[in-house]
Amino acid sequence: MRLYLLPISTRRTLLYCQKLQPPSASAASLTSGSTSTTKQKQSWGDYIQTKAALTWASWEKKGSGWQKSVVGYGNQLLRKLPYEEWALKSMPPLTKSRQRQLEAFLQEQAQAQGDFAMESGEKGGKRGKGDVGKVEVVYPGGLIKAEQVPRILHKLATEREGHHKKWFWWCLAGMPVTIPIGILPLVPNLPFFYLCYRAWSHHRALSGGRHLSYLVQHASRLLSFHPSPILDEIYSTQRFPLPFTSEPTTGPEAETIRHPDPAKVVKAVNSGNTTTEKTDGVNMGHVLEQREVEDGEVLLLSQENAKKMVQLLDVPELEVELERAIWQVETAVEKKNKEIGAEVRVGATQKEKEKEKTQ
């Protein structure tokens, strides 16, 4: 598998795990000359997930009816699920067999490095088996420093662990309450199935987070960091300004990514050359300063450039993840700007009242 770290704003980064075909499987198919795919043992979880996806797709194709309505409302709900949850769900679960494979790989790697050191001494030589089986982490080197990568991965793996645990158990507790709804004729028990899905989703995010945490714990042996020139080109050609807020939408513990050119944002906004109404409401009546851009939160990627990124990386399944993440961050920035605007208006009203009292 391959991990992508894609900054959406100066305070938020999208993680995406791309599933890669094992080299052994592709080599076997080439040597055998068979065009049929090899059937692998499918877990019950994967079977249910596949069955649900096929059912959902069949409902989407219907022209009308309650199935079509359910799909419409359901897609709206799914779009609002935090992109961080989708990111962790893209990680394969840390099953016992997977953990045993990683532990065996760590032992083989340590042994190979020890044998290599004994044989070569201080002489140079070929690489051992250290890089075999490592998970590649792709990121824009122009925005994220190499020493930031493990910290960002650790944060993404652990920051929502308590949230997913809490709501996993709440969803399980709510399932029995919704069972009587199934007595109603002609209507499926949608609340029950929704709670089932949410419980599974929280559990899958927890498992993906544990997998990522395990990789980060052994980052030097299990992860291989690769700054991407393609990503650097995408981010460097991004036109500004994009939506921003003078106060970040995340907590102070979030890893900050330095904006590539905050002066460009300041110049564009102060000259009135804005491309979105989301920034206008906050900065009406005063000149934007560079400090506000550096201390606040600025989007780093537009929907247009996200599509270019997907094409250049040749990862089509990444498009929906980027679209959802950018939309959610834009919405959060807009909400924060409205809150700041409301505070400014309240402060101005209080000042006017104080002036009236003094007069």
Side-chain angles (χ1 to χ4, degrees):
M1 64 184 183
R2 178 183 294 125
L3 302 180
Y4 288 95
L5 277 181
L6 306 172
I8 304 300
S9 73
T10 52
R11 300 279 180 164
R12 295 170 180 259
T13 301
L14 172 67
L15 168 74
Y16 180 73
C17 177
Q18 180 188 18
K19 280 78 171 178
L20 303 176
Q21 185 180 9
S24 58
S26 58
S29 62
L30 288 174
T31 54
S32 64
S34 175
T35 57
S36 61
T37 56
T38 303
K39 290 186 178 180
Q40 298 179 351
K41 187 177 180 180
Q42 192 180 39
S43 65
W44 276 104
D46 291 336
Y47 171 78
I48 295 173
Q49 184 180 357
T50 303
K51 187 70 175 178
L54 292 174
T55 303
W56 195 260
S58 65
W59 286 9
E60 281 184 318
K61 295 178 181 179
K62 291 185 178 293
S64 60
W66 64 266
Q67 294 101 328
K68 189 69 174 180
S69 300
V70 168
V71 168
Y73 289 116
N75 285 336
Q76 293 180 16
L77 288 173
L78 293 176
R79 192 169 190 241
K80 293 179 180 179
L81 295 184
Y83 72 89
E84 297 95 337
E85 182 176 329
W86 290 99
L88 292 178
K89 284 161 56 177
S90 71
M91 291 285 301
L94 183 60
T95 59
K96 292 183 179 179
S97 60
R98 171 62 175 169
Q99 188 167 351
R100 285 195 295 267
Q101 290 175 358
L102 292 174
E103 290 172 352
F105 173 71
L106 288 172
Q107 293 176 359
E108 291 176 3
Q109 191 182 43
Q111 183 179 359
Q113 289 178 348
D115 294 342
F116 178 79
M118 292 177 61
E119 292 176 4
S120 61
E122 297 181 356
K123 296 181 181 180
K126 295 183 179 180
R127 278 187 155 186
K129 299 181 180 180
D131 286 337
V132 178
K134 278 192 173 184
V135 177
E136 184 180 353
V137 182
V138 181
Y139 63 97
L143 289 178
I144 302 177
K145 298 179 181 179
E147 58 269 21
Q148 285 183 290
V149 175
R151 295 200 301 268
I152 293 175
L153 290 174
H154 175 73
K155 186 68 179 175
L156 294 174
T158 59
E159 65 180 348
R160 296 178 61 85
E161 183 176 1
H163 170 84
H164 291 306
K165 282 183 179 179
K166 171 186 173 182
W167 287 104
F168 168 71
W169 290 110
W170 273 110
C171 290
L172 288 183
M175 287 180 193
V177 180
T178 62
I179 290 178
I181 301 177
I183 301 174
L184 299 175
L186 302 179
V187 179
N189 194 343
L190 296 178
F192 175 79
F193 290 121
Y194 176 74
L195 290 177
C196 287
Y197 169 75
R198 294 301 292 132
W200 169 84
S201 184
H202 287 300
H203 184 269
R204 185 64 182 266
L206 279 170
S207 185
R210 294 191 188 104
H211 193 172
L212 184 59
S213 294
Y214 189 91
L215 295 176
V216 175
Q217 288 175 8
H218 307 278
S220 61
R221 295 188 176 186
L222 294 181
L223 297 178
S224 178
F225 304 136
H226 295 273
S228 170
I230 294 177
L231 294 179
D232 284 336
E233 180 183 356
I234 291 292
Y235 283 103
S236 63
T237 56
Q238 176 63 61
R239 297 181 62 183
F240 293 100
L242 290 174
F244 77 94
T245 178
S246 56
E247 297 180 10
T249 62
T250 59
E253 69 281 356
E255 189 75 21
T256 303
I257 297 173
R258 186 174 178 82
H259 194 281
D261 194 354
K264 185 185 294 184
V265 178
V266 173
K267 181 179 179 181
V269 172
N270 288 337
S271 63
N273 182 26
T274 58
T275 58
T276 175
E277 297 178 358
K278 296 175 184 176
T279 54
D280 295 346
V282 178
N283 298 293
M284 291 280 286
H286 84 279
V287 177
L288 182 68
E289 299 179 0
Q290 184 168 325
R291 175 185 55 80
E292 294 181 81
V293 177
E294 294 174 347
D295 295 342
E297 181 175 352
V298 187
L299 260 75
L300 297 172
L301 190 64
S302 65
Q303 297 285 6
E304 181 182 359
N305 265 21
K307 293 179 180 179
K308 294 180 182 178
M309 181 186 293
V310 171
Q311 293 175 354
L312 292 176
L313 293 175
D314 194 20
V315 188
E317 60 272 19
L318 180 59
E319 183 173 357
V320 65
E321 306 295 335
L322 281 170
E323 188 275 334
R324 182 192 298 116
I326 294 173
W327 175 77
Q328 290 184 6
V329 176
E330 284 180 344
T331 303
V333 167
E334 182 179 7
K335 181 180 178 181
K336 175 62 71 172
N337 282 341
K338 288 180 179 179
E339 293 174 358
I340 296 173
E343 292 175 0
V344 170
R345 287 191 295 271
V346 170
T349 303
Q350 290 177 349
K351 287 182 180 179
E352 289 179 0
K353 289 182 180 179
E354 290 176 359
K355 286 182 180 179
E356 291 176 358
K357 289 180 180 180
T358 55
Q359 293 176 357

